[in-house]
Amino acid sequence: MAAGRGAELLRPPTSSGRATFLELFFDLAFVVALTRVSQRFADLGNDTGWALVVGVGRTLLLFLALWLIWSHTAWITSRYEPEQPIIQAVVVGTMFAGLIMAVTLPRAMEERALPFAAAYLMVMVVRPLVIAAALRGHPRRLVPFRLAGWAVVSAPLWLAGALGPDRLRLPLWAAALAVDYLAWGLGWPLPWLGVSKVSHWRIAGTHLADRYQQMFLIALGESILVLGVVFSGADYSAERAAAFTVAFATSALLWRIYFHRAGLLLSDALDRAVMPGRLGTASERTHLLIVLSVLATAVGYELVIDHPFGQPRPSWLLFVVGGPALFLVARIRLEYEIFGRLSRSRVIGLVVLLLFTPLLARWAPMVGLSVVAGVLTLVALLDALRSRGRPLEVSSSPIAREASDVRDSEA
């Protein structure tokens, strides 16, 4: 009977795979957060050398903290029934904490460090304890206890970084975030409580795929928002109008390339998986890179629209070319996860983009963005030629076919 107590929180096999309206509402906080991340990146537009490296490192750290909060929530709602009042309360509470992190993010490395860290720790420490209490006697209650235990380990580093000298904030928070990601990767091992690797969790695979696709679209929507805000606020000129047009075409190409076959079949692959948690874990890392690449590309739009034929700088090259290059790398990885093959069109596009990079360092930003759009167009055309006249493939993920020898009762 003890194992049955709290079982109503678990997702039943008949539960819908679609994201609930509450989860879509929850994503609104992360629309704000991603916009703030993009703005921090854009503020680095005039930086060079070590200042650029430190600025990118700080913003990347804040993004990774936000991503961990969002990703944990996506897994929770894929593992537990989101229609249950306690899970809904957890999601709304996480949304509020995420909104605090979003509004403090522009100065989170400066005077707003404490509220950012406090909101993060509220989610990482308190949320799993609430879920564990709601599960009562169910064996799965040990999993959130593990999460809370590891969060307590990293909490002193977060607080020391927030309260200590500014110069120590980045290394202390980097160490804290490394602990949190290491715990996620290892399955939060603790003495007497054992380990619970995410790849062994029983989850709603279709729901998790839906959440990753939605986050990609949110990031893509943020890039469209950047386009509209920057172009509407700048003095009109034919050069800026051309940059606006090419940037929009680039976003449309990113959408096309992502959803062509592999992105479209992510839900099917997770639904067919023997161990959906294993494929979901790999897909989580891939979508982290995809979302980051879209944000970086959006920053490139802002730099180009503001100064389409300005002097080239290392900072704009990092975003205008680096963002799409990272997207192609992540999309190659997604192709392998779904079909077990290397995407030749994306490899060709990546190689062409890298070959052009030394030349783009000496050309105007508008030229760089145009070359990027041309390369992405090439990838999309190669995709269309390869699939022309062929039926839609069935996912054959090598990761999804792998079965685990570990069967833990809490999985």
Side-chain angles (χ1 to χ4, degrees):
M1 290 296 293
R5 294 167 58 195
E8 68 275 4
L9 263 66
L10 309 183
R11 261 188 181 267
T14 56
S15 178
S16 171
R18 300 302 301 272
T20 62
F21 290 120
L22 175 63
E23 291 169 275
L24 299 178
F25 178 54
F26 166 79
D27 286 343
L28 295 178
F30 285 84
V31 172
V32 179
L34 294 184
T35 302
R36 297 298 87 201
V37 171
S38 287
Q39 190 55 56
R40 277 196 69 108
F41 274 131
D43 291 342
L44 305 174
N46 294 322
D47 290 347
T48 57
W50 182 245
L52 177 61
V53 173
V54 172
V56 169
R58 286 177 172 176
T59 307
L60 184 59
L61 186 149
L62 298 174
F63 167 75
L64 290 174
L66 286 165
W67 178 263
L68 197 61
I69 295 294
W70 183 88
S71 188
H72 275 197
T73 307
W75 280 78
I76 286 172
T77 52
S78 287
R79 185 169 166 83
Y80 302 105
E81 178 52 64
E83 298 296 341
Q84 287 290 328
I86 187 63
I87 300 301
Q88 291 179 341
V90 164
V91 172
V92 171
T94 304
M95 179 183 179
F96 182 68
L99 193 57
I100 293 174
M101 293 173 69
V103 298
T104 58
L105 191 144
R107 302 291 295 173
M109 282 292 179
E110 292 79 24
E111 70 273 8
R112 296 182 182 177
L114 184 57
F116 182 91
Y120 176 85
L121 291 175
M122 185 66 67
V123 175
M124 297 298 287
V125 177
V126 177
R127 182 174 66 179
L129 292 178
V130 171
I131 294 175
L135 284 169
R136 291 171 288 179
H138 196 280
R140 283 195 192 178
R141 75 191 185 284
L142 297 181
V143 176
F145 275 133
R146 294 189 186 102
L147 270 67
W150 273 87
V152 168
V153 171
S154 68
L157 293 172
W158 284 106
L159 293 175
L163 299 172
D166 289 354
R167 69 180 185 280
L168 295 180
R169 187 160 298 133
L170 179 59
L172 285 172
W173 279 9
L177 198 61
V179 170
D180 291 338
Y181 270 91
L182 180 65
W184 170 271
L186 296 178
W188 303 277
L190 285 177
W192 300 292
L193 294 183
V195 64
S196 179
K197 289 192 174 182
V198 179
S199 58
H200 302 151
W201 284 9
R202 299 189 186 102
I203 57 168
T206 303
H207 174 271
L208 193 62
D210 202 22
R211 299 299 287 130
Y212 288 147
Q213 290 169 340
Q214 287 164 358
M215 181 49 74
F216 166 69
L217 289 174
I218 287 172
L220 209 56
E222 196 278 334
S223 74
I224 299 299
L225 179 63
V226 168
L227 282 178
V229 171
V230 175
F231 187 54
S232 63
D235 294 335
Y236 176 82
S237 68
E239 292 82 3
R240 287 193 173 103
F244 172 81
T245 302
V246 174
F248 174 78
T250 301
S251 285
L253 287 164
L254 293 179
W255 165 83
R256 166 66 179 174
I257 292 169
Y258 172 85
F259 279 108
H260 183 78
R261 299 298 170 102
L264 191 64
L265 290 175
L266 177 61
S267 177
D268 179 67
L270 276 163
D271 194 40
R272 290 170 174 267
V274 175
M275 295 287 289
R278 190 181 295 274
L279 178 57
T281 302
S283 186
E284 182 268 333
R285 297 167 190 149
T286 299
H287 282 80
L288 186 157
L289 296 178
I290 288 174
V291 170
L292 181 61
S293 71
V294 174
L295 293 181
T297 304
V299 174
Y301 298 162
E302 182 171 350
L303 298 175
V304 175
I305 293 173
D306 277 341
H307 306 286
F309 291 98
Q311 291 295 319
R313 297 188 182 98
S315 56
W316 78 258
L317 192 65
L318 176 66
F319 299 113
V320 174
V321 180
L326 180 60
F327 175 82
L328 289 175
V329 169
R331 188 54 182 75
I332 290 168
R333 177 183 165 106
L334 181 63
E335 189 84 5
Y336 174 78
E337 290 168 1
I338 303 303
F339 295 116
R341 67 183 180 219
L342 206 60
S343 173
R344 286 179 291 180
S345 62
R346 290 155 187 80
V347 171
I348 291 171
L350 180 61
V351 170
V352 171
L353 204 54
L354 294 177
L355 289 176
F356 268 99
T357 299
L359 296 174
L360 296 179
R362 299 195 294 269
W363 291 346
M366 181 62 185
V367 176
L369 184 60
S370 299
V371 169
V372 165
V375 170
L376 294 178
T377 300
L378 172 65
V379 173
L381 287 174
L382 290 175
D383 282 345
L385 289 173
R386 183 184 181 280
S387 60
R388 185 177 181 181
R390 297 184 180 182
L392 187 64
E393 298 169 85
V394 176
S395 63
S396 54
S397 171
I399 301 173
R401 288 197 299 267
E402 294 175 3
S404 172
D405 293 331
V406 179
R407 288 288 189 270
D408 126 16
S409 62
E410 304 157 25

